[in-house]
Amino acid sequence: MKTYLSGIQPSGRQHLGNYFGAIRRHIALQEAEGEKFYFIADYHALTTVQDPDVLREMVLEMAVTYLALGLDPERVTLFRQSDIPEVCELTWLLSCVTGTGLLERAHSYKDKLAHGIRTSVGLFTYPILMASDILAYDSDLVPVGKDQKQHVEMAQDMAGYFNNTYGEVFVRPEPLIPEDELFAKVPGVDGQKMSKSYGNAIWIFEEGKPLQKIVGKLVTDSRPPEEPKDASELLPFRFLELFCDAAELADWRERLARGGADAPGYGHLKMRVKEAMDEHFHAARVRRRELLADRGEIERILARGAETARARAVATRDRALRACGLRPRSS
Ligand code: ADP
Ligand code: TRP
């Protein structure tokens, strides 16, 4: 039986790019055969977030987002990274077999240096903590976006260094990168890639007037409705492609291409985008409100997840300690 593991950076409110590019895929994987471990990477978040209230809110928001959108804690072990202190111990053990050269080659670290961002030791050793996360649960498959592929490869390298030094302790993980490009780059309201740092994002749980307002901002040109148009060039249509079925899309495409007096205008397309989002996220919005009204339930889910995850991590930590000549603590 395969073990899947992924870490989720707590980064506040999530947008449609996060949903189609990452969250939806994570949730769909709960149908796959095997064990699934997902955690909220709050230790990693400390490399960028240093306000305790903000961090607590971000962790909560992430747990609520996944649960509201359908993550089933009966099928996926959902937990907080920092509830598993064994990953910090493994980080030390892996640090001692890992050359600094490997870390110096990390793209994410090099990018930060190139942008003149002050780097901490934590940021430099980020890939070792990530390798510990992966190796602690004997993970076979690590679903991540392309940007994290190198980090998973570094975890493979570190498992290899350790196993070569001390014998077979860690399972070699493989990254699982999405193949379909359709949802890899969801555009923002300005047509550029949607990102929270570009101010062009639509939040997953936006609704009512604020949603109408932001959808109204989808960039279009000033051509009149009767002019025939290629649907795939229209930003509102690209949003409809995210939500609507093939038959409906074909109908819009055909009416837009035909043009004339009864052709839809941009306002019609935008109205349908809002409506489609309302339909798609209705149940999730309701569930989100319920969860936010019962934070104790979220804590219980995370605590139960941590208990399951920790049993695995303790066993791996002890195996690693024994291999190094240190005393395992749980037996
Ligand atoms: P942001 O760019 O808003 O800061 P993050 O870097 O926090 O987003 O991304 C979190 C996850 O969401 C990553 O897996 C990333 O690949 C995915 N993602 C972010 N923006 C988009 C987008 N516009 N289209 C598809 N996936 C996206
Ligand atoms: N670094 C990952 C990201 O930024 C989050 C993460 C932390 C992770 N530990 C992990 C992903 C282990 C996969 C496996 O998205």
Side-chain angles (χ1 to χ4, degrees), residues 9-10 41-51 55 81 108 112 117-127 129:
Q9 275 275 7
D42 53 355
Y43 274 148
H44 275 115
L46 290 178
T47 60
T48 49
V49 183
Q50 292 182 331
D51 178 321
L55 182 59
Q81 182 184 31
S108 60
K112 297 236 163 66
I117 295 170
R118 191 188 64 90
T119 54
S120 62
V121 175
L123 193 76
F124 183 60
T125 59
Y126 183 114
L129 179 59

Side-chain angles (χ1 to χ4, degrees), residues 92-132:
W92 179 250
L93 303 186
L94 291 173
S95 302
C96 295
V97 293
T98 303
T100 48
L102 183 83
L103 301 178
E104 279 159 359
R105 286 192 292 277
H107 303 312
S108 60
Y109 175 69
K110 285 200 296 192
D111 283 355
K112 297 236 163 66
L113 278 186
H115 284 91
I117 295 170
R118 191 188 64 90
T119 54
S120 62
V121 175
L123 193 76
F124 183 60
T125 59
Y126 183 114
I128 312 185
L129 179 59
M130 181 156 161
S132 303

